[in-house]
Amino acid sequence: MAENTHQINPDQWVDEYSDYLFNYAIVRVNDREIAKDLISETFLAGLRSKKYFKGEATERTWLISILKRKIIDHYRKINSKKGQAEVKINYTEEDQEGEWLEEKVADNFEQSAEDNLVNNELGAAIYDCLDKINPKHAQIFKMKTIDNFDTEVICNEFGITPSNLWVIIHRARTALAECMEEKWLK
Amino acid sequence: MSSDKTDKQYCKCSEANCYCDKAQYNEVKDWEREQLISHLDKCPKCKDYSERNKKLTELFNKAQLTTLQEEERKELKRLLQQNLDK
């Protein structure tokens, strides 16, 4: 019988998974505030159902599965509102029959959905690799590369010199390149 | 000493890699860029690193990653803590 080794630890959720979940959500909903709300709802739902966590998947996979449901619920709400709006548009102008806003939006969505899928897969790969490197290096790397903080600000925050910072950035980049080599850098 | 002269004209691999990293963030100084270019002309290993480094930057840009701000993170922690205590 397979041993269920994964533990649940809500105290660490924000530090360990919030950025990953946030990127997952923002790629799909394209709105920072909505993405934040979805993460809050995901964590609360996770807390409510933590007794059902069997440890067969990682905490992150489990939280992602909750987030996916939250995103689907979000789109259901939007679509039901949009559906009502469409009916109104459709019945106000008879000669506009067939000029469905929905169809035009759907075409754009197809295009962006494909891009989003690649971006999301790439984002997940980057976060997976960041999880594997020294946590302090990962944090400094994220501040420098993703948040675009000035070198001086990061050095003050961590009490390091600019030389130290560039050594850390170099180690992080080398480790990330090795981690992403096979699938993304060849 | 002749090695001093060589060092001034031709930087070490570790320095070249550092300049290359700085270049990814547009923080390389002109003289560092010149040394880097000169180094890459003669060092295939660093040239490989530089090319891989550029691809890595392209991937990060493509992924359009974003993180939560510190205040947003604290807010989430507060929310979790309030509900953990229930």
Side-chain angles (χ1 to χ4, degrees):
Chain A
M1 194 175 148
E3 196 180 341
N4 299 332
T5 53
H6 300 292
Q7 304 291 315
I8 198 156
N9 188 3
D11 287 331
Q12 296 299 315
W13 284 357
V14 176
D15 286 334
E16 294 196 10
Y17 310 120
S18 59
D19 282 336
Y20 182 86
L21 296 172
F22 184 58
N23 276 279
Y24 188 94
I26 210 163
V27 162
R28 283 163 172 80
V29 299
N30 202 26
D31 183 299
R32 189 178 180 90
E33 290 306 312
I34 293 171
K36 260 169 39 186
D37 289 345
L38 290 169
I39 304 306
S40 301
E41 288 174 24
T42 298
F43 284 156
L44 293 180
L47 278 185
R48 285 194 297 272
S49 54
K50 67 177 178 180
K51 57 178 177 284
Y52 302 114
F53 180 75
K54 295 174 188 162
E56 289 167 358
T58 62
E59 257 186 322
R60 192 174 77 177
T61 304
W62 183 69
L63 288 168
I64 281 286
S65 70
I66 298 174
L67 177 59
K68 278 181 186 172
R69 269 177 276 161
K70 295 290 170 194
I71 292 170
I72 290 168
D73 287 347
H74 166 74
Y75 276 114
R76 275 189 188 140
K77 279 181 204 164
I78 287 180
N79 287 336
S80 76
K81 283 177 191 165
K82 201 158 61 177
Q84 288 164 11
E86 270 173 17
V87 171
K88 285 175 191 167
I89 290 166
N90 195 35
Y91 284 96
T92 49
E93 299 279 342
E94 275 183 34
D95 59 344
Q96 284 182 352
E97 194 178 358
E99 287 186 26
W100 286 81
L101 261 174
E102 182 74 7
E103 287 170 12
K104 290 173 189 169
V105 171
D107 284 342
N108 292 339
F109 179 77
E110 298 256 324
Q111 175 96 31
S112 68
E114 196 177 328
D115 291 343
N116 286 350
L117 197 68
V118 174
N119 286 352
N120 204 70
E121 197 186 345
L122 177 57
I126 292 170
Y127 274 103
D128 281 341
C129 292
L130 278 169
D131 278 350
K132 292 175 187 160
I133 70 174
N134 177 310
K136 186 181 167 189
H137 293 185
Q139 202 181 349
I140 290 174
F141 177 84
K142 278 195 253 181
M143 284 180 80
K144 185 78 195 141
T145 312
I146 302 172
D147 298 327
N148 299 313
F149 277 105
D150 284 340
T151 297
E152 195 184 345
V153 173
I154 303 172
C155 288
N156 288 339
E157 178 80 19
F158 287 88
I160 57 175
T161 64
S163 298
N164 293 150
L165 178 133
W166 289 113
V167 169
I168 289 169
I169 292 291
H170 178 69
R171 288 183 183 161
R173 293 187 75 92
T174 304
L176 289 171
E178 278 171 19
C179 180
M180 297 180 72
E181 176 86 45
E182 191 62 37
K183 188 162 183 191
W184 296 95
L185 286 172
K186 277 190 172 169
Chain B
M1 259 174 80
S2 62
S3 61
D4 285 341
K5 194 181 173 189
T6 307
D7 283 347
K8 281 177 192 169
Q9 288 177 342
Y10 187 73
C11 63
K12 293 178 195 166
C13 290
S14 59
E15 290 168 330
N17 289 340
C18 178
Y19 303 155
C20 177
D21 293 331
K22 286 182 179 178
Q24 308 311 308
Y25 301 90
N26 296 319
E27 290 188 32
V28 69
K29 295 185 174 84
D30 288 343
W31 66 267
E32 291 173 330
R33 189 185 301 278
E34 280 170 25
Q35 286 216 337
L36 173 63
I37 291 166
S38 154
H39 187 98
L40 294 182
D41 275 346
K42 295 166 192 161
C43 180
K45 203 174 166 189
C46 288
K47 199 173 169 70
D48 282 349
Y49 175 78
S50 173
E51 281 167 11
R52 202 161 69 145
N53 216 9
K54 269 190 244 169
K55 280 188 197 167
L56 199 62
T57 298
E58 285 166 13
L59 285 180
F60 291 130
N61 292 339
K62 189 178 172 190
Q64 296 178 321
L65 295 175
T66 180
T67 61
L68 288 165
Q69 302 302 308
E70 198 48 40
E71 197 44 50
E72 294 169 332
R73 209 180 288 272
K74 282 181 186 166
E75 199 180 313
L76 270 178
K77 282 185 179 175
R78 273 197 296 270
L79 180 77
L80 262 177
Q81 200 55 51
Q82 283 166 4
N83 286 275
L84 264 174
D85 294 341
K86 279 182 184 172

